[in-house]
Amino acid sequence: MTSEIGAPGDGIGRRRFLAASGAAGLSAVAGCVTTSRPSVSEVAADGRRAATSDLPTTGRPEVVDLAERDYEVTLKTVEAVHHVHPGESMNGPITLPVVWAWQADDGTPSVPGPILRVEEGAEFTVTLDNTGMDMPHTFHVHGIQKTWENDGVPTTTGITVGPGETHTYEFTANTPGTHLYHCHYQTPMHMEMGMYGTMRVEPEGYERADREYFMTIREWDSRLSRQYGGEDVSYDLTDRRMDTFTINGKSAPASFNPETGSPVIVEPGDTVRIHWVNAGFHSHPMHLHNHRFRVVEKDGSPIPEAMQLTEDVVNVAPAERYTIEFEANADPGIYLIHCHKVNHVRNGSSYPGGMLSAVVYTPAMDTELFGQIMDYAGYEG
């Protein structure tokens, strides 16, 4: 049970959420959405390790404050099952039967990995614990400058964290902003299997917004995960076929679930910041309904106020990071956030779904419509 509700970051507390949504009768929809837990039989014809029901299930990306951990964190590599959309509505269920996830210390494995938060100037370490997997991995982070051997690229540093090994990377948080991290061993395959996450270096003297959320977007070719899960499919990097589209690892309607998805929940009058990170291989023009926002950071660089256009869509290219800011000054309601390549707002051949979430005002949670959306999302109150 998380203490905050909505997308990872600085959201409203659970008690406030329940107070705002209680009159919508959410408890009445509990149990109305059937979920699926896959059980995939082992396939050993090619020696590949197939998924079993014994694999752990991924959870919500954890926000890790490195200051609270003496500036040390261990990221453990874990094989897991990832439920992109576990319900039966909107062409579900959608499951990636095997992903390669990261977990922070003794936390829950997640895709994306934990959000690492640290203040500018701090020295910190990330220990990659690969004792539980049977293939090499590395840890590479964009944005911050580091010494050569800490770049996380096996071919240029000579450092690969093999099966059964651990390795500690040393960093200084010298570039404020929002950054992408990922495994840089066989990068196209390892990122396709889920090995990516977000690091946030907060500038010196940074004042957080009333609501501050993290959203990592990605498109997938699920054949790679399903191949590792024992299905008779073959993944081809030169013929990549996108069939799954996620925000923080979830597709709509699961992306609307306030506990495991990423709705942006706001109070009227809030100042809101969203940190968008593209961990995929295609561009995604992200659009916000009924609000005009300003891009205040790109790839860790603050945008001068005179250059901050007021807009409602920004194209986020692979590995780019944008921080947008807006005022929650619309008529209190429910307003979509989505990729405007509309074929990315689908689950298989069914529209809508995919890369879709929403800004949700607390007064709108006390409505029958919000209760219906929670029913689709599988939220049981």
Side-chain angles (χ1 to χ4, degrees), residues 51-338:
T52 72
S53 57
D54 295 332
L55 290 180
T57 299
T58 56
R60 182 179 190 260
E62 178 185 6
V63 179
V64 175
D65 188 336
L66 291 177
E68 296 176 353
R69 304 190 185 208
D70 295 326
Y71 299 100
E72 299 176 352
V73 65
T74 295
L75 293 183
K76 184 176 182 180
T77 60
V78 180
E79 278 192 315
V81 175
H82 184 61
H83 298 293
V84 175
H85 165 34
E88 293 185 347
S89 61
M90 294 188 183
N91 211 32
I94 301 170
T95 293
L96 298 177
V98 182
V99 293
W100 301 338
W102 269 308
Q103 71 178 52
D105 297 320
D106 296 324
T108 301
S110 64
V111 173
I115 297 159
L116 305 181
R117 217 170 195 175
V118 62
E119 71 273 11
E120 182 181 6
E123 295 183 354
F124 65 98
T125 62
V126 176
T127 297
L128 179 56
D129 180 349
N130 198 29
T131 56
M133 290 195 68
D134 57 6
M135 64 186 61
H137 296 296
T138 69
F139 179 86
H140 168 70
V141 59
H142 293 215
I144 64 175
Q145 293 181 298
K146 75 283 289 186
T147 59
W148 179 12
E149 65 268 25
N150 288 296
D151 193 38
V153 181
T155 52
T156 55
T157 66
I159 297 172
T160 303
V161 187
E165 296 180 348
T166 63
H167 178 77
T168 298
Y169 297 88
E170 299 179 351
F171 301 104
T172 300
N174 49 31
T175 306
T178 302
H179 308 301
L180 171 70
Y181 69 79
H182 61 86
C183 177
H184 220 297
Y185 182 89
Q186 292 292 320
T187 312
M189 183 173 74
H190 286 224
M191 289 188 73
E192 193 81 79
M193 288 294 287
M195 304 203 77
Y196 61 88
T198 294
M199 178 179 292
R200 174 68 183 171
V201 177
E202 308 227 302
E204 184 177 352
Y206 183 68
E207 294 184 7
R208 294 182 186 174
D210 297 319
R211 307 288 170 224
E212 198 149 330
Y213 293 106
F214 295 89
M215 286 188 155
T216 304
I217 53 180
R218 180 173 176 80
E219 81 293 332
W220 305 75
D221 182 338
S222 70
R223 289 179 302 167
L224 184 60
S225 173
R226 292 187 287 120
Q227 178 177 288
Y228 272 88
E231 292 188 33
D232 185 19
V233 294
S234 180
Y235 173 78
D236 183 353
L237 176 62
T238 66
D239 183 28
R240 189 166 175 264
R241 304 172 194 169
M242 302 175 293
D243 61 0
T244 305
F245 305 89
T246 61
I247 295 176
N248 288 336
K250 299 293 185 181
S251 292
S255 54
F256 289 85
N257 189 306
E259 217 163 62
T260 59
S262 295
V264 172
I265 300 175
V266 301
E267 304 267 13
D270 278 346
T271 297
V272 185
R273 290 191 196 119
I274 301 176
H275 303 284
W276 271 327
V277 178
N278 186 349
F281 307 148
H282 287 253
S283 296
H284 298 289
M286 299 304 293
H287 172 51
L288 176 58
H289 282 211
N290 210 41
H291 295 79
R292 303 280 287 173
F293 60 75
R294 294 171 292 110
V295 176
V296 296
E297 288 181 14
K298 183 191 182 304
D299 296 349
S301 294
I303 306 297
E305 188 172 352
M307 296 176 62
Q308 294 177 11
L309 301 178
T310 303
E311 47 197 319
D312 57 36
V313 62
V314 61
N315 191 49
V316 189
E320 280 191 323
R321 293 89 67 197
Y322 285 92
T323 296
I324 69 165
E325 182 175 308
F326 64 93
E327 303 302 318
N329 57 9
D331 179 44
I334 302 170
Y335 299 103
L336 296 183
I337 301 171
H338 63 90

